[in-house]
Amino acid sequence: MSNQHMMPPPIAKAIHFGPFLVFHTTPFSFALVNLKPLLPGHVLICPHRSTPRLSQLTAAEIADLFQTVQLVSRTLTRVYGASALNIAVQDGADAGQSVAHVHAHIIPRRAGDEGGGDRVYDMIEGEQGDVGRAQRELEEYRARARPRFPKLDEGSRRARSESEMRKEAEWLKGEMEKDARERRGGNV
């Protein structure tokens, strides 16, 4: 493997992935809160380099992506009191991927939650999980220069405000740092 596959891609500007806020970064990946989480704690993990398919990522990017999934999963399990997690990647448009940028969904789960066993996968693949729709609608909204986020759908899930997402992102960032200190053997 050449050195170019081992070095992270340069990040020349801020990370943009629709109306989401980043709470954790690594050399190759970032974790962000979701505008319209399917269940509390639903976050996304993405590689910095935008590509639609897992097969287009380098070995280093794949390793970092899934190590980040594992790391963030530990924190989500603790802070949301999860007894299980759904971790999903829709690899391509025909698999339900609504944004042509690889991303893994992590959804904390508990017995009896509204995700109902495998029902959460139907939610991810359906209109509720259409990350691209939220992104497209936000771009349309910004083009119209309205002062507030648009109402994205009439379903039971509402779009969260930037303030709500920022609060969750800052909280999760602090919790990730707390877990990192604990792994290093420092005081929590």
Side-chain angles (χ1 to χ4, degrees):
M1 183 181 301
S2 72
N3 282 343
Q4 107 182 39
H5 294 290
M6 297 304 291
M7 298 300 295
I11 302 172
K13 58 184 179 178
I15 297 167
H16 294 284
F17 193 89
F20 306 94
L21 294 169
V22 173
F23 65 89
H24 181 74
T25 61
T26 70
F28 293 100
S29 303
F30 58 97
L32 44 95
V33 298
N34 202 328
L35 175 66
K36 294 178 75 177
L38 296 175
L39 294 172
H42 177 187
V43 302
L44 304 173
I45 311 298
C46 310
H48 287 291
R49 188 166 62 91
S50 180
T51 184
R53 303 296 305 272
L54 281 170
S55 62
Q56 296 168 317
L57 295 174
T58 66
E61 289 169 322
I62 290 279
D64 186 80
L65 180 74
F66 284 99
Q67 287 170 350
T68 303
V69 166
Q70 183 183 47
L71 190 64
V72 170
S73 293
R74 288 179 186 145
T75 298
L76 293 177
T77 296
R78 179 178 61 78
V79 301
Y80 284 97
S83 57
L85 299 165
N86 284 106
I87 299 172
V89 175
Q90 297 159 298
D91 194 26
D94 291 335
Q97 182 187 54
S98 59
V99 174
H101 184 149
V102 170
H103 57 282
H105 296 259
I106 305 175
I107 306 169
R109 302 297 306 275
R110 290 189 284 212
D113 66 26
E114 62 186 81
D118 286 342
R119 183 172 162 265
V120 74
Y121 291 111
D122 293 333
M123 294 163 72
I124 289 172
E125 290 180 11
E127 185 176 314
Q128 292 174 299
D130 188 349
V131 174
R133 177 176 174 215
Q135 187 171 7
R136 290 186 302 275
E137 289 179 355
L138 181 64
E139 289 167 3
E140 291 169 8
Y141 151 76
R142 286 182 174 154
R144 292 187 307 267
R146 289 190 179 159
R148 301 190 67 195
F149 284 107
K151 188 166 186 174
L152 298 178
D153 68 34
E154 298 300 322
S156 61
R157 290 182 349 165
R158 67 172 181 81
R160 300 189 299 168
S161 70
E162 183 175 344
S163 172
E164 290 171 306
M165 291 191 308
R166 185 169 309 285
K167 182 177 179 182
E168 182 183 29
E170 289 170 358
W171 173 64
L172 288 173
K173 181 179 192 290
E175 293 298 325
M176 293 292 298
E177 291 167 354
K178 181 178 177 181
D179 286 348
R181 285 191 305 274
E182 186 173 299
R183 282 191 308 278
R184 290 190 307 265
N187 293 330
V188 178

